[in-house]
Amino acid sequence: MQIVFLGTSSGAPTTKRNVSGIGLRLMDRGAWWLIDCGEGTQHQIMRSVLNISQLEKIFITHLHGDHLYGLIGMLASRSLRGAETGGITLYGPKGIDEYVQAIMRISPVHLQYPLIIKVVEEGIIYEDDTIVVEAAKVKHRVPAFAYSMTEKPRPGAFKIELAKEAGIPKGPMYAQLKAGGTVQLEDGRVFHGKDFVHPPQPGLKVAFSGDTIPCQNMVRLAQGADMLVHESTYVHQHLELAERSGHSTAKQAAEIAVAAEAKGLLLTHLSPRYDIEDGPITLDDMLQEAQEVFLNSQIAQDLCVYEVKRTRLL
Ligand SMILES: [Zn+2]
């Protein structure tokens, strides 16, 4: 898994940061998913390592413009790619369907691929053989969801050298052993699958807060995440502003990471007021504030690729 930030500014873009949009690259799948789609996201996609044709799913956290206004333009541009693009499933809070349909009715767009829109409720909203996506209600000025993506454990690798040494013939017997079965050779020797397969590898988990004040639901959703991407609109000195606008401070985001026992924290949705090099409070101050609570905190940068790795526990 890789996380690619397409926009890390809150409310309005700056010259260095676009408004909200985050790519989640799922290497095994040959696809990527998009969380939020602020205006200009399609330009950021072109500048990034992501390929718009490989976009498979979009998750909108809430219906504020800085998370949404890039959606229709991006979908329409993607359609110009023609036959090389597959369908897209769009998930979002109640109203996402009306929003898309109303714009497409008034300003006709003919998409060359199927667009399926799913209005989400709390709970598991998508699941297949490899991954589970869960939505949880968070607390903002409008209905808002956070999302987590959890890979399912992968079967352990087959100990092929061991099988060769044992003289087990390649082919169906290997498959039986891989599936955990028992095989018997012509000479009478019996082998068990469990001795020839490494233990299953746990999958990775990531969680995206969207916009929210600190809330228990976020802690629950992000429990044990290998990477938590949490909004950090303000520094704690501006707590009152954060509370009034339904946002979190860096300290609060770090506290959520601690409570959820997350392994890493990426701070995003940063107020443009701190993105001024010689301003009174800078993003370095914000980073320090977060790291005092949760050391493995980082300030997300536009177009940077963050590799999500399993942290080995000693
Ligand atoms: Zn918002």
Side-chain angles (χ1 to χ4, degrees):
M1 272 185 181
Q2 286 178 344
I3 296 172
V4 185
F5 284 87
L6 299 166
T8 56
S9 184
S10 71
T14 69
T15 52
K16 283 171 267 169
R17 297 175 185 272
N18 196 41
V19 285
S20 290
I22 309 171
L24 176 65
R25 219 173 174 196
L26 302 162
M27 327 302 273
D28 295 354
R29 230 178 156 88
W32 64 280
W33 295 354
L34 176 65
I35 296 93
D36 284 335
C37 191
E39 187 187 354
T41 295
Q42 61 171 315
H43 298 80
Q44 294 290 80
I45 293 170
M46 286 189 277
R47 294 182 189 115
S48 77
V49 296
L50 302 168
N51 178 341
I52 200 168
S53 304
Q54 291 169 342
L55 174 58
E56 189 188 53
K57 291 179 184 294
I58 304 170
F59 301 88
I60 300 294
T61 59
H62 65 296
L63 301 183
H64 277 156
D66 58 326
H67 297 253
L68 187 62
Y69 289 170
L71 182 62
I72 308 294
M74 192 272 294
L75 291 174
S77 296
R78 185 177 185 272
S79 194
L80 300 176
R81 295 291 187 97
E84 49 174 307
T85 57
I88 283 196
T89 311
L90 169 67
Y91 302 81
K94 188 167 174 287
I96 186 70
D97 46 348
E98 279 177 70
Y99 173 82
V100 171
Q101 284 152 7
I103 293 177
M104 288 189 171
R105 191 177 64 244
I106 296 162
S107 168
V109 186
H110 182 69
L111 297 181
Q112 302 287 330
Y113 53 84
L115 173 68
I116 298 163
I117 305 177
K118 299 206 168 178
V119 173
V120 301
E121 297 286 347
E122 209 163 31
I124 290 173
I125 57 167
Y126 177 75
E127 181 167 14
D128 63 24
D129 292 346
T130 61
I131 201 160
V132 182
V133 183
E134 190 180 343
K137 280 184 189 161
V138 287
K139 292 183 180 170
H140 192 44
R141 304 195 307 278
V142 295
F145 288 93
Y147 297 105
S148 71
M149 287 80 179
T150 311
E151 289 176 333
K152 293 187 176 172
R154 292 169 201 201
F158 185 57
K159 298 177 184 172
I160 193 157
E161 288 305 320
L162 196 64
K164 275 187 199 163
E165 277 169 34
I168 302 167
K170 270 188 199 165
M173 282 194 180
Y174 275 23
Q176 271 173 275
L177 288 172
K178 276 185 205 171
T182 300
V183 298
Q184 184 168 20
L185 302 192
E186 281 177 5
D187 61 12
R189 288 183 297 150
V190 174
F191 297 102
H192 303 285
K194 63 176 169 43
D195 300 323
F196 290 87
V197 180
H198 287 284
Q201 292 295 306
L204 293 165
K205 176 175 179 177
V206 290
F208 301 89
S209 73
D211 287 9
T212 184
I213 58 170
C215 64
Q216 262 318 107
N217 236 8
M218 192 62 230
V219 175
R220 188 195 56 75
L221 185 80
Q223 197 61 48
D226 295 285
M227 188 59 81
L228 167 62
V229 178
H230 201 286
E231 76 124 293
S232 169
T233 313
Y234 295 102
V235 295
H236 210 63
Q237 199 178 319
H238 294 148
L239 176 63
E240 201 196 315
L241 269 178
E243 285 176 342
R244 216 186 310 147
S245 55
H247 290 297
S248 300
T249 67
K251 180 172 180 250
Q252 289 174 327
E255 285 167 352
I256 296 285
V258 172
E261 297 176 307
K263 313 294 189 305
L265 172 65
L266 282 162
L267 301 173
T268 187
H269 202 265
L270 317 161
S271 169
R273 74 180 60 213
Y274 311 121
D275 203 9
I276 305 164
E277 258 162 53
D278 50 0
I281 302 175
T282 65
L283 291 172
D284 285 341
D285 299 321
M286 179 181 269
L287 178 62
Q288 199 182 336
E289 174 181 306
Q291 286 181 335
E292 277 168 17
V293 178
F294 185 81
L295 190 61
N296 198 12
S297 302
Q298 296 175 79
I299 303 269
Q301 307 293 347
D302 281 36
L303 306 179
C304 279
V305 179
Y306 297 84
E307 188 79 42
V308 183
K309 288 191 193 125
R310 174 148 291 277
T311 314
R312 291 192 189 281
L313 298 173
L314 297 172

